[in-house]
Amino acid sequence: MNLEMVIPRHIAIVMDGNGRWAQQRKRPRLFGHHRGAEAVRATVKACGKLSVECLTLFAFSSENWKRPEDEVEGLMSLLMTALNREAKGLVKHGVRLKFIGDVKGFSEKLQSKIRQVEELTSNGDGLLLQVAANYGGRWDIVEAAKALAAQSEATFSEATLSEQLSTQGVPDPDLFIRTGGERRISNFLLWQLAYSELYFTDVLWPDFDEETLLVAIQDFSGRQRRFGMTGEQVKEGSNA
Ligand code: IPE
Ligand code: IPE
Ligand code: MG
């Protein structure tokens, strides 16, 4: 591993390209989603190994309900299967699982499974794994605004609104990765991505693994994050 590698504290990924990966192999789209779940496992493991603090994965957007019914159903049942299958391993590796998104949109059965695995992993002291499911960045901001407005003596500021977002208490993503070649955010963490480094790759999600993650982190390591300052100021600060 390159010594100059800077490990992001928080990585957020739009896991895109499952459908095309399957189509290239003349298989149904769901086959791609199943392979995608394996890429999730590899990525979670790699992040744990690198001591990344938080990994946020976009699993199902608030817009994905528009897909054909059988694909949506397949994704719901995959989520259920993955939770059942992975729960023990998450506990074993100290991963704390947290869902962000409007989980009330899911079946009672899935909601209770989500709560169960969140509870089971709640003492994990390793990687925080945030799964964005039925998530939309705009939804997140509106919910936060509603929660703030409901307070009797609300103070509206960036800090108080941040505290009401689904990601409360978690530092904003340092590195945003989107696989599958598209260069868009698709209503992922709109507020939280304000100063994230954006990385796009043509690798389709089922082919994503530790090696492709390291390529992204290597790219991230070469970036200068200026947060509005000049490059010189940043250099001086890092020498101080
Ligand atoms: C991402 O892969 C997974 C979900 C949105 C659930 P896609 O299913 O969007 O794959 P493509 O973009 O059609 O290849
Ligand atoms: C974004 O991918 C959502 C997830 C990866 C869960 P999409 O494939 O739904 O995004 P668009 O529709 O191409 O923007
Ligand atoms: Mg897609």
Side-chain angles (χ1 to χ4, degrees):
M1 199 195 298
N2 190 316
L3 286 176
E4 286 171 40
M5 191 115 94
V6 179
I7 305 297
R9 288 179 71 186
H10 183 177
I11 302 177
I13 310 182
V14 176
M15 310 184 288
D16 197 21
N18 295 348
R20 279 164 287 161
W21 186 91
Q23 277 158 350
Q24 282 174 3
R25 288 160 180 78
K26 312 251 182 292
R27 302 292 298 265
R29 295 178 55 87
L30 264 174
F31 179 63
H33 294 313
H34 280 265
R35 283 305 189 85
E38 285 171 32
V40 169
R41 192 198 280 142
T43 305
V44 169
K45 197 172 155 205
C47 284
K49 209 163 117 183
L50 293 166
S51 299
V52 169
E53 288 171 37
C54 179
L55 172 66
T56 304
L57 299 176
F58 206 3
F60 191 85
S61 77
S62 41
E63 289 75 37
N64 286 145
W65 297 108
K66 295 180 203 161
R67 293 192 177 199
E69 212 176 285
D70 61 338
E71 182 169 347
V72 171
E73 275 172 22
L75 283 165
M76 294 303 132
S77 90
L78 174 60
L79 198 50
M80 191 74 173
T81 315
L83 285 167
N84 277 319
R85 193 181 53 206
E86 306 296 335
K88 266 195 185 159
L90 294 177
V91 175
K92 189 173 160 216
H93 293 103
V95 178
R96 181 157 61 95
L97 182 70
K98 186 181 137 200
F99 271 72
I100 59 170
D102 194 3
V103 292
K104 290 192 300 299
F106 296 141
S107 70
E108 281 295 338
K109 215 174 137 203
L110 186 53
Q111 285 183 54
S112 90
K113 176 56 67 184
I114 288 171
R115 280 193 298 268
Q116 188 198 332
V117 183
E118 281 181 336
E119 176 60 32
L120 197 71
T121 63
S122 59
N123 291 325
D125 56 3
L127 178 74
L128 169 64
L129 174 59
Q130 297 190 120
V131 174
N134 197 15
Y135 180 89
R138 288 180 175 175
W139 165 85
D140 204 359
I141 296 168
V142 169
E143 289 303 302
K146 281 200 263 181
L148 210 51
Q151 293 176 1
S152 53
E153 284 174 50
T155 321
F156 283 82
S157 70
E158 292 185 12
T160 58
L161 195 125
S162 289
E163 279 164 25
Q164 300 300 331
L165 291 168
S166 60
T167 49
Q168 55 185 240
V170 177
D172 288 340
D174 301 292
L175 172 61
F176 162 95
I177 299 173
R178 182 171 185 141
T179 61
E182 311 296 351
R183 280 151 173 77
R184 55 179 172 254
I185 294 177
S186 299
N187 200 15
F188 196 24
L189 306 158
L190 296 177
W191 174 285
Q192 297 89 335
L193 291 175
Y195 257 109
S196 307
E197 295 298 327
L198 308 182
Y199 178 85
F200 297 94
T201 171
D202 290 336
V203 171
L204 301 173
W205 178 251
D207 290 326
F208 197 82
D209 58 10
E210 183 175 359
E211 204 181 308
T212 40
L213 174 69
L214 287 173
V215 174
I217 295 179
Q218 197 71 65
D219 187 279
F220 169 81
S221 302
R223 312 260 184 115
Q224 186 188 47
R225 304 185 73 191
R226 290 193 281 276
F227 299 101
M229 290 180 279
T230 66
E232 286 67 30
Q233 285 177 301
V234 174
K235 265 193 225 145
E236 278 165 27
S238 63
N239 291 335

